[in-house]
Amino acid sequence: MIKDAKRKKVTILLPAYNEEASFPLIKENMTKVMAENPDYDWEFLLVNDGSRDNTLQQMIKLHNEDPEHWSYIDLSRNYGKEVAMMAGFDYAEGDGLIIMDSDMQHPINVIPEMLKYWEEGYDDVYARRKSSKESWMKRKSSQLYYRLLQKMTHVPIQKDTGDFRLLDRSCVEALKQLRESERNTKGLYSWIGFKKHGIEYEQLARQEGETKWRFMQLVELAVNGLTSYTVAPLRISTVLGLCVSLLAFIYLVYIVVRTTLFGDPVAGFPTIMVTILFLGGVQLLSLGIIGEYLGKVFTETKGRPGYFISSYNGKKRKE
């Protein structure tokens, strides 16, 4: 089939980890995307992030059935979603790139709206959740995190916005140049700039499988985001140290004055213990913050590749 040279190609990037059960729905939805948007050439790029079930076999099956539209990357191990997306950026062939979760909680009915704004000249059409099927605690903690991140960094971070978006090739090429291994891609979208436009969508309920995000993974992602785009935690520890020193000096003056003028005995053991524990807590907090930043420096200075792949569409590739 000869393709129209003027037709744009759009890649839909679908990172997957243990999503075997979601593949019938993935195939159904992507087939519908092609049928409802015939003015574009479509590529569906699947990234197997070290799955332990039959996710890879499902990817191979789709590629064998329709190699023109379905491609897959098999990473050498589980690197996490952030690195899986980086691999997708490297291998995507489209003029535009749409990132979606493979659990199909991102609705395909907003894709035509994304394409419309892209054609109007926007480079990054990001989707903002109007509502979420997540628990109350998870929603509120996410909202608090984004508010905190927005106040602490000079980079404008879109709140209630994840990876579901359409990126122009210019944005993809910019992201490909950012090779840090401790990645927080949600912040990188904002950091690279370009012309952005937001749309809203209703997040769907997961129909198959279960979420792969655990509490500690979310905490790690949040800490990584804070330490990637701001040094505010270091400044907070400095201010906290100054405040503690000032309070300690004021308390010292108070003890001296009270003892000198009124002859009150100074409480020994309780005062010493409270002071030691308080100062020790502040010191450990400050050391922990410094350690987070130092750990990131240690990791990045190794200069290791972000990932290795076992195969691309069944062929061995070196990265």
Side-chain angles (χ1 to χ4, degrees), residues 195-319:
K195 191 177 180 181
K196 302 181 184 298
H197 183 80
I199 61 175
E200 293 188 330
Y201 76 100
E202 292 281 355
Q203 181 169 310
L204 304 176
R206 173 185 273 270
Q207 297 189 32
E208 302 290 346
E210 60 181 18
T211 180
K212 307 306 182 296
W213 287 101
R214 299 292 180 257
F215 176 74
M216 289 309 299
Q217 290 176 306
L218 294 173
V219 170
E220 182 181 352
L221 185 64
V223 171
N224 190 29
L226 288 172
T227 54
S228 293
Y229 302 103
T230 178
V231 294
L234 290 172
R235 291 172 181 165
I236 290 173
S237 66
T238 301
V239 172
L240 184 60
L242 290 173
C243 291
V244 169
S245 298
L246 179 60
L247 288 173
F249 178 74
I250 293 173
Y251 183 66
L252 174 63
V253 172
Y254 167 73
I255 292 295
V256 171
V257 170
R258 194 180 70 169
T259 304
T260 303
L261 297 182
F262 303 102
D264 290 341
V266 179
F269 183 75
T271 302
I272 293 173
M273 285 302 299
V274 169
T275 303
I276 290 175
L277 291 174
F278 181 63
L279 291 176
V282 172
Q283 289 174 339
L284 288 174
L285 174 64
S286 300
L287 286 173
I289 293 173
I290 294 171
E292 287 291 337
Y293 283 94
L294 185 59
K296 292 178 73 68
V297 173
F298 171 71
T299 301
E300 297 299 335
T301 53
K302 291 179 181 178
R304 292 176 179 172
Y307 63 89
F308 290 100
I309 69 169
S310 294
S311 64
Y312 171 64
N313 288 339
K315 299 178 180 179
K316 299 290 184 180
R317 297 280 296 268
K318 290 184 178 182
E319 290 299 327

Side-chain angles (χ1 to χ4, degrees), residues 14 19-20 22-28 30-31 44-46 55-72 313:
L14 296 157
E19 290 289 354
E20 174 188 1
S22 298
F23 272 81
L25 187 58
I26 291 174
K27 182 179 179 180
E28 176 186 343
M30 296 305 104
T31 302
F44 306 112
L45 180 57
L46 302 158
T55 294
L56 176 60
Q57 286 70 28
Q58 293 294 327
M59 293 180 178
I60 294 172
K61 179 181 177 182
L62 288 174
H63 173 70
N64 290 338
E65 290 175 353
D66 185 4
E68 181 181 352
H69 294 106
W70 292 91
S71 298
Y72 69 92
N313 288 339

Side-chain angles (χ1 to χ4, degrees), residues 75 77 79 83-84 86 90 179-181 183 303-308 319:
L75 297 181
R77 65 171 176 84
Y79 290 91
V83 174
M86 178 169 70
D90 291 340
R179 308 305 295 184
E180 59 246 46
S181 55
R183 301 179 68 81
R304 292 176 179 172
Y307 63 89
F308 290 100
E319 290 299 327

Side-chain angles (χ1 to χ4, degrees), residues 94-286:
D95 303 295
L97 172 70
I98 298 175
I99 307 166
M100 299 184 70
D101 286 349
S102 55
D103 57 17
M104 292 290 101
Q105 287 187 272
H106 294 153
I108 61 173
N109 59 9
V110 302
I111 290 179
E113 188 177 3
M114 287 180 167
L115 294 170
K116 178 176 77 74
Y117 285 110
W118 180 44
E119 294 291 359
E120 290 178 4
Y122 290 98
D123 303 304
D124 180 356
V125 184
Y126 59 89
R128 183 189 297 114
R129 291 185 299 270
K130 287 195 292 186
S131 64
S132 174
K133 306 300 181 183
E134 297 169 337
S135 66
W136 180 88
M137 179 62 72
K138 192 172 181 180
R139 290 198 309 271
K140 292 301 180 183
S141 59
S142 176
Q143 292 170 2
L144 177 62
Y145 167 70
Y146 278 111
R147 282 199 293 269
L148 182 64
L149 189 59
Q150 286 175 324
K151 290 182 180 297
M152 295 177 68
T153 178
H154 298 296
V155 179
I157 306 293
Q158 294 89 24
K159 67 177 183 178
D160 299 326
T161 304
D163 298 307
F164 186 28
R165 61 185 66 219
L166 187 154
L167 298 171
D168 183 72
R169 170 52 61 177
S170 57
C171 293
V172 176
E173 292 299 324
L175 289 167
K176 285 168 64 175
Q177 297 181 53
L178 307 178
R179 308 305 295 184
E180 59 246 46
S181 55
E182 295 290 328
R183 301 179 68 81
N184 186 280
T185 315
K186 294 176 182 63
L188 295 180
Y189 300 134
S190 299
W191 190 88
I192 62 173
F194 294 95
K195 191 177 180 181
K196 302 181 184 298
H197 183 80
I199 61 175
E200 293 188 330
Y201 76 100
E202 292 281 355
Q203 181 169 310
L204 304 176
R206 173 185 273 270
Q207 297 189 32
E208 302 290 346
E210 60 181 18
T211 180
K212 307 306 182 296
W213 287 101
R214 299 292 180 257
F215 176 74
M216 289 309 299
Q217 290 176 306
L218 294 173
V219 170
E220 182 181 352
L221 185 64
V223 171
N224 190 29
L226 288 172
T227 54
S228 293
Y229 302 103
T230 178
V231 294
L234 290 172
R235 291 172 181 165
I236 290 173
S237 66
T238 301
V239 172
L240 184 60
L242 290 173
C243 291
V244 169
S245 298
L246 179 60
L247 288 173
F249 178 74
I250 293 173
Y251 183 66
L252 174 63
V253 172
Y254 167 73
I255 292 295
V256 171
V257 170
R258 194 180 70 169
T259 304
T260 303
L261 297 182
F262 303 102
D264 290 341
V266 179
F269 183 75
T271 302
I272 293 173
M273 285 302 299
V274 169
T275 303
I276 290 175
L277 291 174
F278 181 63
L279 291 176
V282 172
Q283 289 174 339
L284 288 174
L285 174 64
S286 300

